[in-house]
Amino acid sequence: AQSVTQLGSHVSVSEGALVLLRCNYSSSVPPYLFWYVQYPNQGLQLLLKYTSAATLVKGINGFEAEFKKSETSFHLTKPSAHMSDAAEYFCAVTLSGNTPLVFGKGTRLSVIA
Amino acid sequence: SQTIHQWPATLVQPVGSPLSLECTVEGTSNPNLYWYRQAAGRGLQLLFYSVGIGQISSEVPQNLSASRPQDRQFILSSKKLLLSDSGFYLCAWRGQAYYNEQFFGPGTRLTVL
């Protein structure tokens, strides 16, 4: 069965530092993977998605993620953190067309000035 | 383009009162629809999903129920609210292809007193 594990429920970085949020997946079929961001009191917004076209996926707000099959990982990165990046980030994997995405438990990113 | 609406945005209800939250989707047909809840500091909890009119799958047995009276309308209800029903309720939709992402509404903040 498909599942995702997000390592670290809370990550804190300094403004301008590299952001690295970790996601590992488990899937019995080639996965489709997603990263979402949630700002306080808002719904989730899609950052990027992997659908097998390219292993390095670029998303909105300067984020990107690299699909590594050998490591079963799909980590989210951003070269330089901004204060506005402070939010909750969720990794997700698809199971099938009719079932909901399977979400990780989320990682809260704090950015320190 | 597709949009998803939820209302109300915030709601304060006494224990034992009924609940009705509404979600509507525009710009697509035959979407899969989902209700999630986020308790304070917790991740996403899938409550219900629907792949068609009148078809509801319950993920968590509790005093909540869901209905889908029209193709693009999804309603979350309760006859008697509990304190533990407080949280942030999110509606989402997804196209039925395997690679599709989910799109989330803005959410409803429910406080049960």
PDB file of all heavy atoms in Angstrom, chain B residues 30-61:
ATOM      1  N   ASN B  30     -18.435  15.729 -12.352  1.00  0.00           N
ATOM      2  CA  ASN B  30     -18.157  14.408 -11.793  1.00  0.00           C
ATOM      3  C   ASN B  30     -16.841  14.350 -11.015  1.00  0.00           C
ATOM      4  O   ASN B  30     -16.040  13.436 -11.201  1.00  0.00           O
ATOM      5  CB  ASN B  30     -18.146  13.338 -12.893  1.00  0.00           C
ATOM      6  CG  ASN B  30     -18.312  11.946 -12.320  1.00  0.00           C
ATOM      7  OD1 ASN B  30     -18.886  11.760 -11.263  1.00  0.00           O
ATOM      8  ND2 ASN B  30     -17.769  10.967 -13.025  1.00  0.00           N
ATOM      9  N   PRO B  31     -16.611  15.342 -10.149  1.00  0.00           N
ATOM     10  CA  PRO B  31     -15.373  15.287  -9.365  1.00  0.00           C
ATOM     11  C   PRO B  31     -15.487  14.286  -8.231  1.00  0.00           C
ATOM     12  O   PRO B  31     -16.586  13.972  -7.759  1.00  0.00           O
ATOM     13  CB  PRO B  31     -15.265  16.707  -8.807  1.00  0.00           C
ATOM     14  CG  PRO B  31     -16.690  17.120  -8.622  1.00  0.00           C
ATOM     15  CD  PRO B  31     -17.445  16.495  -9.782  1.00  0.00           C
ATOM     16  N   ASN B  32     -14.351  13.812  -7.756  1.00  0.00           N
ATOM     17  CA  ASN B  32     -14.308  13.135  -6.463  1.00  0.00           C
ATOM     18  C   ASN B  32     -14.254  14.229  -5.397  1.00  0.00           C
ATOM     19  O   ASN B  32     -13.527  15.213  -5.557  1.00  0.00           O
ATOM     20  CB  ASN B  32     -13.078  12.245  -6.352  1.00  0.00           C
ATOM     21  CG  ASN B  32     -13.125  11.079  -7.318  1.00  0.00           C
ATOM     22  OD1 ASN B  32     -14.189  10.581  -7.657  1.00  0.00           O
ATOM     23  ND2 ASN B  32     -11.964  10.662  -7.776  1.00  0.00           N
ATOM     24  N   LEU B  33     -14.998  14.051  -4.324  1.00  0.00           N
ATOM     25  CA  LEU B  33     -15.088  15.077  -3.291  1.00  0.00           C
ATOM     26  C   LEU B  33     -14.688  14.510  -1.941  1.00  0.00           C
ATOM     27  O   LEU B  33     -14.947  13.326  -1.651  1.00  0.00           O
ATOM     28  CB  LEU B  33     -16.517  15.632  -3.218  1.00  0.00           C
ATOM     29  CG  LEU B  33     -16.997  16.370  -4.468  1.00  0.00           C
ATOM     30  CD1 LEU B  33     -18.489  16.687  -4.364  1.00  0.00           C
ATOM     31  CD2 LEU B  33     -16.205  17.650  -4.664  1.00  0.00           C
ATOM     32  N   TYR B  34     -14.083  15.342  -1.108  1.00  0.00           N
ATOM     33  CA  TYR B  34     -13.524  14.881   0.156  1.00  0.00           C
ATOM     34  C   TYR B  34     -13.807  15.894   1.259  1.00  0.00           C
ATOM     35  O   TYR B  34     -13.778  17.097   1.028  1.00  0.00           O
ATOM     36  CB  TYR B  34     -12.005  14.714   0.043  1.00  0.00           C
ATOM     37  CG  TYR B  34     -11.557  13.954  -1.176  1.00  0.00           C
ATOM     38  CD1 TYR B  34     -11.153  14.638  -2.322  1.00  0.00           C
ATOM     39  CD2 TYR B  34     -11.540  12.565  -1.197  1.00  0.00           C
ATOM     40  CE1 TYR B  34     -10.747  13.945  -3.450  1.00  0.00           C
ATOM     41  CE2 TYR B  34     -11.139  11.869  -2.324  1.00  0.00           C
ATOM     42  CZ  TYR B  34     -10.743  12.567  -3.447  1.00  0.00           C
ATOM     43  OH  TYR B  34     -10.349  11.882  -4.566  1.00  0.00           O
ATOM     44  N   TRP B  35     -14.004  15.378   2.482  1.00  0.00           N
ATOM     45  CA  TRP B  35     -14.035  16.192   3.687  1.00  0.00           C
ATOM     46  C   TRP B  35     -12.886  15.759   4.600  1.00  0.00           C
ATOM     47  O   TRP B  35     -12.726  14.564   4.874  1.00  0.00           O
ATOM     48  CB  TRP B  35     -15.346  16.028   4.462  1.00  0.00           C
ATOM     49  CG  TRP B  35     -16.477  16.863   3.966  1.00  0.00           C
ATOM     50  CD1 TRP B  35     -17.617  16.441   3.359  1.00  0.00           C
ATOM     51  CD2 TRP B  35     -16.606  18.295   4.053  1.00  0.00           C
ATOM     52  NE1 TRP B  35     -18.442  17.491   3.066  1.00  0.00           N
ATOM     53  CE2 TRP B  35     -17.848  18.645   3.484  1.00  0.00           C
ATOM     54  CE3 TRP B  35     -15.795  19.314   4.575  1.00  0.00           C
ATOM     55  CZ2 TRP B  35     -18.286  19.963   3.398  1.00  0.00           C
ATOM     56  CZ3 TRP B  35     -16.243  20.614   4.493  1.00  0.00           C
ATOM     57  CH2 TRP B  35     -17.475  20.929   3.910  1.00  0.00           C
ATOM     58  N   TYR B  36     -12.114  16.770   5.054  1.00  0.00           N
ATOM     59  CA  TYR B  36     -11.033  16.534   5.994  1.00  0.00           C
ATOM     60  C   TYR B  36     -11.266  17.389   7.241  1.00  0.00           C
ATOM     61  O   TYR B  36     -11.937  18.417   7.193  1.00  0.00           O
ATOM     62  CB  TYR B  36      -9.682  16.960   5.409  1.00  0.00           C
ATOM     63  CG  TYR B  36      -9.169  16.112   4.285  1.00  0.00           C
ATOM     64  CD1 TYR B  36      -9.534  16.376   2.967  1.00  0.00           C
ATOM     65  CD2 TYR B  36      -8.288  15.065   4.527  1.00  0.00           C
ATOM     66  CE1 TYR B  36      -9.045  15.606   1.930  1.00  0.00           C
ATOM     67  CE2 TYR B  36      -7.775  14.290   3.493  1.00  0.00           C
ATOM     68  CZ  TYR B  36      -8.168  14.570   2.200  1.00  0.00           C
ATOM     69  OH  TYR B  36      -7.670  13.811   1.173  1.00  0.00           O
ATOM     70  N   ARG B  37     -10.642  16.964   8.329  1.00  0.00           N
ATOM     71  CA  ARG B  37     -10.629  17.781   9.536  1.00  0.00           C
ATOM     72  C   ARG B  37      -9.195  17.891  10.040  1.00  0.00           C
ATOM     73  O   ARG B  37      -8.435  16.915   9.997  1.00  0.00           O
ATOM     74  CB  ARG B  37     -11.501  17.187  10.636  1.00  0.00           C
ATOM     75  CG  ARG B  37     -11.461  17.991  11.953  1.00  0.00           C
ATOM     76  CD  ARG B  37     -12.496  17.505  12.941  1.00  0.00           C
ATOM     77  NE  ARG B  37     -12.278  16.124  13.346  1.00  0.00           N
ATOM     78  CZ  ARG B  37     -13.205  15.368  13.931  1.00  0.00           C
ATOM     79  NH1 ARG B  37     -14.404  15.867  14.168  1.00  0.00           N
ATOM     80  NH2 ARG B  37     -12.921  14.137  14.291  1.00  0.00           N
ATOM     81  N   GLN B  38      -8.862  19.091  10.531  1.00  0.00           N
ATOM     82  CA  GLN B  38      -7.592  19.323  11.190  1.00  0.00           C
ATOM     83  C   GLN B  38      -7.883  19.813  12.600  1.00  0.00           C
ATOM     84  O   GLN B  38      -8.443  20.887  12.770  1.00  0.00           O
ATOM     85  CB  GLN B  38      -6.769  20.382  10.460  1.00  0.00           C
ATOM     86  CG  GLN B  38      -6.091  19.908   9.213  1.00  0.00           C
ATOM     87  CD  GLN B  38      -5.263  21.008   8.579  1.00  0.00           C
ATOM     88  OE1 GLN B  38      -5.757  22.063   8.214  1.00  0.00           O
ATOM     89  NE2 GLN B  38      -3.973  20.746   8.425  1.00  0.00           N
ATOM     90  N   ALA B  39      -7.514  19.014  13.586  1.00  0.00           N
ATOM     91  CA  ALA B  39      -7.582  19.497  14.960  1.00  0.00           C
ATOM     92  C   ALA B  39      -6.320  20.324  15.216  1.00  0.00           C
ATOM     93  O   ALA B  39      -5.359  20.244  14.454  1.00  0.00           O
ATOM     94  CB  ALA B  39      -7.678  18.322  15.927  1.00  0.00           C
ATOM     95  N   ALA B  40      -6.343  21.104  16.255  1.00  0.00           N
ATOM     96  CA  ALA B  40      -5.225  22.005  16.548  1.00  0.00           C
ATOM     97  C   ALA B  40      -3.917  21.224  16.633  1.00  0.00           C
ATOM     98  O   ALA B  40      -3.797  20.275  17.402  1.00  0.00           O
ATOM     99  CB  ALA B  40      -5.488  22.737  17.859  1.00  0.00           C
ATOM    100  N   GLY B  41      -2.934  21.650  15.807  1.00  0.00           N
ATOM    101  CA  GLY B  41      -1.625  21.017  15.856  1.00  0.00           C
ATOM    102  C   GLY B  41      -1.572  19.608  15.306  1.00  0.00           C
ATOM    103  O   GLY B  41      -0.563  18.921  15.475  1.00  0.00           O
ATOM    104  N   ARG B  42      -2.631  19.182  14.629  1.00  0.00           N
ATOM    105  CA  ARG B  42      -2.661  17.828  14.082  1.00  0.00           C
ATOM    106  C   ARG B  42      -2.640  17.879  12.561  1.00  0.00           C
ATOM    107  O   ARG B  42      -2.834  18.912  11.946  1.00  0.00           O
ATOM    108  CB  ARG B  42      -3.934  17.129  14.562  1.00  0.00           C
ATOM    109  CG  ARG B  42      -4.117  17.114  16.056  1.00  0.00           C
ATOM    110  CD  ARG B  42      -3.216  16.113  16.745  1.00  0.00           C
ATOM    111  NE  ARG B  42      -3.523  14.754  16.384  1.00  0.00           N
ATOM    112  CZ  ARG B  42      -4.456  14.028  16.979  1.00  0.00           C
ATOM    113  NH1 ARG B  42      -5.182  14.550  17.960  1.00  0.00           N
ATOM    114  NH2 ARG B  42      -4.662  12.784  16.610  1.00  0.00           N
ATOM    115  N   GLY B  43      -2.430  16.738  11.955  1.00  0.00           N
ATOM    116  CA  GLY B  43      -2.411  16.650  10.502  1.00  0.00           C
ATOM    117  C   GLY B  43      -3.802  16.551   9.926  1.00  0.00           C
ATOM    118  O   GLY B  43      -4.802  16.836  10.591  1.00  0.00           O
ATOM    119  N   LEU B  44      -3.871  16.124   8.696  1.00  0.00           N
ATOM    120  CA  LEU B  44      -5.147  15.987   7.992  1.00  0.00           C
ATOM    121  C   LEU B  44      -5.798  14.659   8.338  1.00  0.00           C
ATOM    122  O   LEU B  44      -5.178  13.613   8.228  1.00  0.00           O
ATOM    123  CB  LEU B  44      -4.918  16.031   6.487  1.00  0.00           C
ATOM    124  CG  LEU B  44      -4.524  17.362   5.883  1.00  0.00           C
ATOM    125  CD1 LEU B  44      -4.033  17.154   4.466  1.00  0.00           C
ATOM    126  CD2 LEU B  44      -5.688  18.324   5.896  1.00  0.00           C
ATOM    127  N   GLN B  45      -7.056  14.715   8.722  1.00  0.00           N
ATOM    128  CA  GLN B  45      -7.826  13.499   8.973  1.00  0.00           C
ATOM    129  C   GLN B  45      -8.930  13.414   7.942  1.00  0.00           C
ATOM    130  O   GLN B  45      -9.818  14.285   7.898  1.00  0.00           O
ATOM    131  CB  GLN B  45      -8.423  13.530  10.382  1.00  0.00           C
ATOM    132  CG  GLN B  45      -9.240  12.286  10.720  1.00  0.00           C
ATOM    133  CD  GLN B  45      -9.934  12.389  12.071  1.00  0.00           C
ATOM    134  OE1 GLN B  45     -10.258  13.468  12.541  1.00  0.00           O
ATOM    135  NE2 GLN B  45     -10.152  11.248  12.700  1.00  0.00           N
ATOM    136  N   LEU B  46      -8.900  12.401   7.097  1.00  0.00           N
ATOM    137  CA  LEU B  46      -9.944  12.211   6.091  1.00  0.00           C
ATOM    138  C   LEU B  46     -11.203  11.716   6.789  1.00  0.00           C
ATOM    139  O   LEU B  46     -11.169  10.720   7.514  1.00  0.00           O
ATOM    140  CB  LEU B  46      -9.486  11.208   5.041  1.00  0.00           C
ATOM    141  CG  LEU B  46     -10.497  10.860   3.955  1.00  0.00           C
ATOM    142  CD1 LEU B  46     -10.801  12.084   3.084  1.00  0.00           C
ATOM    143  CD2 LEU B  46      -9.975   9.714   3.092  1.00  0.00           C
ATOM    144  N   LEU B  47     -12.308  12.406   6.547  1.00  0.00           N
ATOM    145  CA  LEU B  47     -13.577  12.037   7.161  1.00  0.00           C
ATOM    146  C   LEU B  47     -14.460  11.250   6.189  1.00  0.00           C
ATOM    147  O   LEU B  47     -14.954  10.171   6.515  1.00  0.00           O
ATOM    148  CB  LEU B  47     -14.325  13.274   7.634  1.00  0.00           C
ATOM    149  CG  LEU B  47     -13.617  14.160   8.658  1.00  0.00           C
ATOM    150  CD1 LEU B  47     -14.436  15.421   8.935  1.00  0.00           C
ATOM    151  CD2 LEU B  47     -13.345  13.392   9.935  1.00  0.00           C
ATOM    152  N   PHE B  48     -14.690  11.813   5.019  1.00  0.00           N
ATOM    153  CA  PHE B  48     -15.573  11.196   4.022  1.00  0.00           C
ATOM    154  C   PHE B  48     -15.032  11.476   2.634  1.00  0.00           C
ATOM    155  O   PHE B  48     -14.376  12.482   2.420  1.00  0.00           O
ATOM    156  CB  PHE B  48     -17.001  11.784   4.105  1.00  0.00           C
ATOM    157  CG  PHE B  48     -17.673  11.618   5.433  1.00  0.00           C
ATOM    158  CD1 PHE B  48     -17.617  12.640   6.372  1.00  0.00           C
ATOM    159  CD2 PHE B  48     -18.363  10.463   5.741  1.00  0.00           C
ATOM    160  CE1 PHE B  48     -18.231  12.501   7.602  1.00  0.00           C
ATOM    161  CE2 PHE B  48     -18.983  10.314   6.970  1.00  0.00           C
ATOM    162  CZ  PHE B  48     -18.915  11.331   7.901  1.00  0.00           C
ATOM    163  N   TYR B  49     -15.362  10.584   1.698  1.00  0.00           N
ATOM    164  CA  TYR B  49     -15.133  10.900   0.302  1.00  0.00           C
ATOM    165  C   TYR B  49     -16.247  10.320  -0.545  1.00  0.00           C
ATOM    166  O   TYR B  49     -16.929   9.376  -0.140  1.00  0.00           O
ATOM    167  CB  TYR B  49     -13.749  10.490  -0.181  1.00  0.00           C
ATOM    168  CG  TYR B  49     -13.489   9.020  -0.384  1.00  0.00           C
ATOM    169  CD1 TYR B  49     -13.671   8.419  -1.625  1.00  0.00           C
ATOM    170  CD2 TYR B  49     -12.981   8.258   0.655  1.00  0.00           C
ATOM    171  CE1 TYR B  49     -13.379   7.087  -1.818  1.00  0.00           C
ATOM    172  CE2 TYR B  49     -12.691   6.922   0.479  1.00  0.00           C
ATOM    173  CZ  TYR B  49     -12.879   6.335  -0.760  1.00  0.00           C
ATOM    174  OH  TYR B  49     -12.591   5.018  -0.939  1.00  0.00           O
ATOM    175  N   SER B  50     -16.401  10.924  -1.712  1.00  0.00           N
ATOM    176  CA  SER B  50     -17.505  10.571  -2.597  1.00  0.00           C
ATOM    177  C   SER B  50     -17.027  10.556  -4.037  1.00  0.00           C
ATOM    178  O   SER B  50     -16.384  11.497  -4.491  1.00  0.00           O
ATOM    179  CB  SER B  50     -18.639  11.588  -2.441  1.00  0.00           C
ATOM    180  OG  SER B  50     -19.639  11.372  -3.418  1.00  0.00           O
ATOM    181  N   VAL B  51     -17.357   9.488  -4.746  1.00  0.00           N
ATOM    182  CA  VAL B  51     -16.986   9.385  -6.154  1.00  0.00           C
ATOM    183  C   VAL B  51     -18.178   9.675  -7.064  1.00  0.00           C
ATOM    184  O   VAL B  51     -18.033   9.649  -8.293  1.00  0.00           O
ATOM    185  CB  VAL B  51     -16.385   8.008  -6.484  1.00  0.00           C
ATOM    186  CG1 VAL B  51     -15.124   7.781  -5.663  1.00  0.00           C
ATOM    187  CG2 VAL B  51     -17.401   6.903  -6.242  1.00  0.00           C
ATOM    188  N   GLY B  52     -19.352   9.944  -6.489  1.00  0.00           N
ATOM    189  CA  GLY B  52     -20.509  10.267  -7.308  1.00  0.00           C
ATOM    190  C   GLY B  52     -21.702  10.624  -6.433  1.00  0.00           C
ATOM    191  O   GLY B  52     -21.674  10.451  -5.209  1.00  0.00           O
ATOM    192  N   ILE B  53     -22.749  11.106  -7.071  1.00  0.00           N
ATOM    193  CA  ILE B  53     -23.953  11.512  -6.349  1.00  0.00           C
ATOM    194  C   ILE B  53     -24.478  10.346  -5.512  1.00  0.00           C
ATOM    195  O   ILE B  53     -24.645   9.229  -6.015  1.00  0.00           O
ATOM    196  CB  ILE B  53     -25.045  11.992  -7.324  1.00  0.00           C
ATOM    197  CG1 ILE B  53     -24.587  13.253  -8.047  1.00  0.00           C
ATOM    198  CG2 ILE B  53     -26.356  12.270  -6.580  1.00  0.00           C
ATOM    199  CD1 ILE B  53     -25.533  13.711  -9.138  1.00  0.00           C
ATOM    200  N   GLY B  54     -24.722  10.620  -4.237  1.00  0.00           N
ATOM    201  CA  GLY B  54     -25.270   9.612  -3.343  1.00  0.00           C
ATOM    202  C   GLY B  54     -24.299   8.559  -2.886  1.00  0.00           C
ATOM    203  O   GLY B  54     -24.658   7.666  -2.107  1.00  0.00           O
ATOM    204  N   GLN B  55     -23.047   8.629  -3.349  1.00  0.00           N
ATOM    205  CA  GLN B  55     -22.037   7.624  -2.970  1.00  0.00           C
ATOM    206  C   GLN B  55     -21.085   8.237  -1.952  1.00  0.00           C
ATOM    207  O   GLN B  55     -20.317   9.141  -2.289  1.00  0.00           O
ATOM    208  CB  GLN B  55     -21.246   7.152  -4.195  1.00  0.00           C
ATOM    209  CG  GLN B  55     -22.104   6.524  -5.276  1.00  0.00           C
ATOM    210  CD  GLN B  55     -21.260   6.112  -6.473  1.00  0.00           C
ATOM    211  OE1 GLN B  55     -20.392   5.274  -6.367  1.00  0.00           O
ATOM    212  NE2 GLN B  55     -21.530   6.727  -7.607  1.00  0.00           N
ATOM    213  N   ILE B  56     -21.137   7.740  -0.719  1.00  0.00           N
ATOM    214  CA  ILE B  56     -20.338   8.287   0.364  1.00  0.00           C
ATOM    215  C   ILE B  56     -19.556   7.164   1.025  1.00  0.00           C
ATOM    216  O   ILE B  56     -20.134   6.133   1.378  1.00  0.00           O
ATOM    217  CB  ILE B  56     -21.213   8.964   1.442  1.00  0.00           C
ATOM    218  CG1 ILE B  56     -22.175   9.973   0.816  1.00  0.00           C
ATOM    219  CG2 ILE B  56     -20.334   9.601   2.515  1.00  0.00           C
ATOM    220  CD1 ILE B  56     -21.492  11.162   0.180  1.00  0.00           C
ATOM    221  N   SER B  57     -18.269   7.383   1.201  1.00  0.00           N
ATOM    222  CA  SER B  57     -17.427   6.450   1.955  1.00  0.00           C
ATOM    223  C   SER B  57     -16.981   7.148   3.222  1.00  0.00           C
ATOM    224  O   SER B  57     -16.496   8.274   3.177  1.00  0.00           O
ATOM    225  CB  SER B  57     -16.210   6.030   1.131  1.00  0.00           C
ATOM    226  OG  SER B  57     -16.599   5.326  -0.015  1.00  0.00           O
ATOM    227  N   SER B  58     -17.179   6.473   4.348  1.00  0.00           N
ATOM    228  CA  SER B  58     -16.820   7.026   5.645  1.00  0.00           C
ATOM    229  C   SER B  58     -15.505   6.435   6.106  1.00  0.00           C
ATOM    230  O   SER B  58     -15.334   5.209   6.092  1.00  0.00           O
ATOM    231  CB  SER B  58     -17.907   6.729   6.673  1.00  0.00           C
ATOM    232  OG  SER B  58     -17.496   7.147   7.962  1.00  0.00           O
ATOM    233  N   GLU B  59     -14.593   7.305   6.471  1.00  0.00           N
ATOM    234  CA  GLU B  59     -13.282   6.842   6.902  1.00  0.00           C
ATOM    235  C   GLU B  59     -13.179   6.738   8.417  1.00  0.00           C
ATOM    236  O   GLU B  59     -12.403   5.956   8.938  1.00  0.00           O
ATOM    237  CB  GLU B  59     -12.195   7.802   6.398  1.00  0.00           C
ATOM    238  CG  GLU B  59     -12.015   7.778   4.893  1.00  0.00           C
ATOM    239  CD  GLU B  59     -11.490   6.443   4.408  1.00  0.00           C
ATOM    240  OE1 GLU B  59     -10.411   6.021   4.852  1.00  0.00           O
ATOM    241  OE2 GLU B  59     -12.170   5.805   3.576  1.00  0.00           O
ATOM    242  N   VAL B  60     -13.950   7.542   9.118  1.00  0.00           N
ATOM    243  CA  VAL B  60     -13.850   7.588  10.577  1.00  0.00           C
ATOM    244  C   VAL B  60     -15.260   7.551  11.166  1.00  0.00           C
ATOM    245  O   VAL B  60     -16.011   8.500  10.991  1.00  0.00           O
ATOM    246  CB  VAL B  60     -13.124   8.852  11.054  1.00  0.00           C
ATOM    247  CG1 VAL B  60     -12.970   8.829  12.562  1.00  0.00           C
ATOM    248  CG2 VAL B  60     -11.766   8.983  10.391  1.00  0.00           C
ATOM    249  N   PRO B  61     -15.645   6.496  11.878  1.00  0.00           N
ATOM    250  CA  PRO B  61     -16.983   6.441  12.481  1.00  0.00           C
ATOM    251  C   PRO B  61     -17.102   7.449  13.615  1.00  0.00           C
ATOM    252  O   PRO B  61     -16.284   7.477  14.507  1.00  0.00           O
ATOM    253  CB  PRO B  61     -17.080   5.005  13.002  1.00  0.00           C
ATOM    254  CG  PRO B  61     -15.674   4.571  13.191  1.00  0.00           C
ATOM    255  CD  PRO B  61     -14.871   5.277  12.126  1.00  0.00           C
TER     256      PRO B  61
END
